[in-house]
Amino acid sequence: MADQPLIQVEASLTFNRNLRALSKKYRNIKNDIQPVIEQLQRGELLGDQIPGIRYTVFKLRVRNSDTQKGKSGGYRLIYYVKTVTGIILLTIYAKSEQADIETEEIRSAISEYERRSSEDKGGT
């Protein structure tokens, strides 16, 4: 029987949408991010914390094995440390396709996740 992860990692709708779109162009994206998700589940906080947001949000570089550019030309994965045992994957984008992410975009992804989460708990 597999050990339960220390940290529960969930994906927001925004993350899933972006992942689906990127996977059409980058066939190995899911394999590229899987080790990162496993590290997060073990309790490792990766990347750099993004300042100026009242949430604990990190931006992480992830290598894109479909290109030969390393981490700098790879993906940016944004995640939110919601609780001691819960991390939310907010969004992912290819650095070659998007320069940076606005703090408002991050706040919007968190708000969307929180709204969905409370709707799910409400029984809808």
Side-chain angles (χ1 to χ4, degrees):
M1 192 159 114
D3 291 335
Q4 282 290 95
L6 295 173
I7 308 295
Q8 185 68 38
V9 177
E10 295 179 54
S12 68
L13 279 176
T14 304
F15 181 88
N16 285 332
R17 239 188 333 262
N18 293 347
L19 182 64
R20 197 170 19 257
L22 287 169
S23 68
K24 292 175 182 168
K25 185 172 182 179
Y26 304 109
R27 296 175 54 167
N28 292 310
I29 187 170
K30 291 179 182 174
N31 292 332
D32 291 342
I33 66 169
Q34 189 57 42
V36 170
I37 292 170
E38 289 168 6
Q39 285 179 285
L40 293 172
Q41 288 174 330
R42 288 193 300 266
E44 298 175 41
L45 292 182
L46 309 168
D48 300 314
Q49 189 166 355
I50 301 174
I53 301 177
R54 61 172 209 204
Y55 301 100
T56 307
V57 176
F58 288 83
K59 176 162 67 173
L60 172 65
R61 291 175 167 193
V62 180
R63 187 175 157 272
N64 179 346
S65 63
D66 290 305
T67 66
Q68 300 303 315
K69 297 180 182 176
K71 284 184 177 181
S72 64
Y75 309 110
R76 297 299 179 271
L77 189 150
I78 311 295
Y79 67 93
Y80 160 40
V81 181
K82 184 174 184 206
T83 65
V84 177
T85 59
I87 289 177
I88 313 305
L89 304 176
L90 293 175
T91 190
I92 187 168
Y93 59 93
K95 183 65 175 170
S96 60
E97 296 174 15
Q98 181 176 335
D100 243 334
I101 187 163
E102 300 292 325
T103 55
E104 193 48 47
E105 212 175 322
I106 295 169
R107 284 192 194 103
S108 173
I110 292 172
S111 296
E112 178 187 38
Y113 173 80
E114 297 288 352
R115 189 174 60 253
R116 283 247 175 216
S117 181
S118 66
E119 286 174 5
D120 291 347
K121 288 182 179 122
T124 49

